[in-house]
Amino acid sequence: MQSKVSVFILALTLTLALAINPAMARTYVIKFSHVVAVDTPKGKAAEYLKKIVEERTKGKIKVQVYPNAALYGDREALEALKMNAIQMACPSFSKFTGFVPELQIFDLPFLFENTEHLHKFMNSKVGKELLKGVSRMGLIGLAYWDNGFKQLTLDDNPIRLPKDIKGKKFRIMSSKVLEAQFKVVGASPQVLPFSEVYSALQQGVVDGQENTISNIYTKKFYEVQKYMTISNHGYLGYMLVTNQIFWNSLPQNLRDILSSCVKEATNYERKLAAELNQEQLEKIKASGKVQIHYLTPEERKVWKKAMMKIYPEFYDVIGKERIEEALKLAP
Ligand code: LMR
């Protein structure tokens, strides 16, 4: 009798709690769309985030990851996120150009010496402020995710000096900085979505491209290019972003769990970025499909001098003081 009464009281309490606070009963879905392969730092970290979020919220938040531009391509993903049609994305900084142009600071060639320098800048006051810029789009910048430094590939001749890419067509992401970076050395930049790069290289629509090792490897760009130069001339990284309306709709306890999962996934992603880019470079080498050249220190100096000339063009858009702050943090 007594146990029947306690079951009844428990049921009544739950019903009342749900009536007063329906958020307790709700489950939430995060659609996370990205354009790269699963076997990349971003792809794997998205899967990791899904796993820990679903475990720790006991299924109250479900994460559906859509890799390989299966749901949305470059620009569409940000539009969809603004409309809350998806709730998470992690576009490279260049993809924010039309909305938050100051994020192009990360595209400036030779601005960051190495990953430590980059992370120092991201953790600085200026770096943290840049993360807030996306609020103008109705978004929240949750974290910076790494990929790595970009390398150059080309179909018909090795690249040692800027003159080697003169007149060549290079695929770029949608960034004015990247456009200027290629123009200043006499190459011809062409904006294309990531999902079209492989066929553009294969069909000769463009002669070359710049990307990180993990993207060159997983999307097989090295199979349709004869030469690759390890130039580390610029950085490609991401901002993990969510929609403000979605974020504010979460009960505080779920938001807290999600925040801590994002922190953990960010650490995982950064570690993985360094490992994967190294591992996949070895795989590209072993394939024997592309001839690889490492820029010598002298060659690097020539590229640096030529490409850094574009900085003043972007003082207004990016902010001279932000560029100076990044340079100040150099090792
Ligand atoms: C690209 O378009 O080359 C990159 O932004 C793809 C990515 O997300 O790494």
Side-chain angles (χ1 to χ4, degrees):
M1 179 64 185
Q2 208 184 351
S3 75
K4 267 193 188 154
V5 171
S6 22
V7 169
F8 175 72
I9 291 173
L10 184 67
L12 190 68
T13 318
L14 270 175
T15 315
L16 274 175
L18 293 180
I20 294 164
N21 184 5
M24 275 180 75
R26 266 193 70 180
T27 56
Y28 298 82
V29 174
I30 295 178
K31 288 190 175 160
F32 185 161
S33 172
H34 68 81
V35 298
V36 294
V38 177
D39 198 19
T40 54
K42 177 163 61 180
K44 286 195 161 193
E47 295 299 333
Y48 182 76
L49 183 67
K50 168 187 169 67
K51 181 174 167 291
I52 59 175
V53 166
E54 290 183 353
E55 268 169 23
R56 293 180 198 169
T57 63
K58 303 200 170 42
K60 286 220 174 90
I61 300 182
K62 293 248 181 307
V63 184
Q64 298 167 355
V65 184
Y66 300 90
N68 291 310
L71 191 59
Y72 293 112
D74 289 332
R75 195 164 176 92
E76 298 81 33
L78 272 173
E79 293 295 349
L81 187 66
K82 275 166 67 187
M83 294 187 311
N84 204 14
I86 57 173
Q87 292 67 38
M88 254 188 208
C90 197
S92 51
F93 299 117
S94 327
K95 312 272 165 84
F96 290 92
T97 301
F99 312 101
V100 192
E102 65 269 28
L103 280 176
Q104 288 175 102
I105 189 168
F106 292 104
D107 289 335
L108 283 172
F110 297 100
L111 182 61
F112 300 105
E113 291 290 324
N114 52 35
T115 315
E116 289 71 42
H117 179 193
L118 176 87
H119 288 169
K120 233 192 216 173
F121 177 71
M122 286 172 167
N123 293 333
S124 71
K125 193 163 159 264
V126 178
K128 285 181 184 149
E129 265 167 26
L130 282 169
L131 207 55
K132 293 191 189 129
V134 293
S135 64
R136 303 202 290 271
M137 302 167 68
L139 307 183
I140 296 173
L142 295 172
Y144 288 121
W145 279 12
D146 275 351
N147 191 326
F149 286 86
K150 290 177 289 184
Q151 321 303 348
L152 295 165
T153 68
L154 190 61
D155 66 351
D156 56 1
N157 56 267
I159 309 171
R160 292 194 176 86
L161 291 167
K163 65 176 173 52
D164 300 326
I165 64 168
K166 207 161 182 218
K168 304 286 181 197
K169 275 187 249 149
F170 272 79
R171 178 266 171 173
I172 55 161
M173 297 180 274
S174 54
S175 153
K176 295 285 169 208
V177 167
L178 299 181
E179 200 179 306
Q181 166 201 275
F182 278 109
K183 279 191 175 158
V184 79
V185 290
S188 164
Q190 195 164 325
V191 176
L192 281 176
F194 186 61
S195 55
E196 289 173 25
V197 181
Y198 180 88
S199 59
L201 292 171
Q202 191 183 37
Q203 291 161 18
V205 174
V206 289
D207 307 303
Q209 62 87 47
E210 54 161 16
N211 227 307
T212 58
I213 291 295
S214 67
N215 282 339
I216 293 172
Y217 175 72
T218 54
K219 291 295 177 187
K220 299 189 173 15
F221 299 160
Y222 69 100
E223 292 190 359
V224 284
Q225 297 276 268
K226 291 199 190 71
Y227 301 94
M228 174 160 83
T229 289
I230 305 298
S231 51
N232 292 315
H233 60 282
Y235 172 78
L236 187 150
Y238 310 111
M239 192 188 290
L240 181 67
V241 273
T242 189
N243 177 289
Q244 279 171 6
I245 294 172
F246 166 74
W247 187 257
N248 294 331
S249 76
L250 291 173
Q252 186 63 46
N253 66 325
L254 292 185
R255 218 182 296 155
D256 291 345
I257 298 175
L258 193 52
S259 296
S260 85
C261 290
V262 163
K263 250 190 211 144
E264 191 175 318
T266 301
N267 291 336
Y268 170 84
E269 203 271 349
R270 286 184 166 187
K271 196 163 161 277
L272 201 66
E275 284 167 13
L276 270 188
N277 278 308
Q278 192 50 43
E279 215 176 281
Q280 294 174 340
L281 174 59
E282 296 309 317
K283 289 185 179 159
I284 294 177
K285 280 184 189 165
S287 77
K289 292 217 158 96
V290 68
Q291 198 174 306
I292 302 176
H293 172 69
Y294 282 78
L295 284 189
T296 64
E298 292 72 31
E299 287 166 350
R300 191 176 162 81
K301 259 190 217 149
V302 180
W303 284 94
K304 198 168 170 176
K305 190 162 172 235
M307 286 186 160
M308 282 179 83
K309 281 197 189 123
I310 67 166
Y311 284 21
E313 250 180 82
F314 294 94
Y315 283 165
D316 283 349
V317 175
I318 293 173
K320 191 173 181 216
E321 66 299 339
R322 292 193 178 107
I323 299 174
E324 279 168 356
E325 179 63 20
L327 289 169
K328 221 168 67 195
L329 295 172

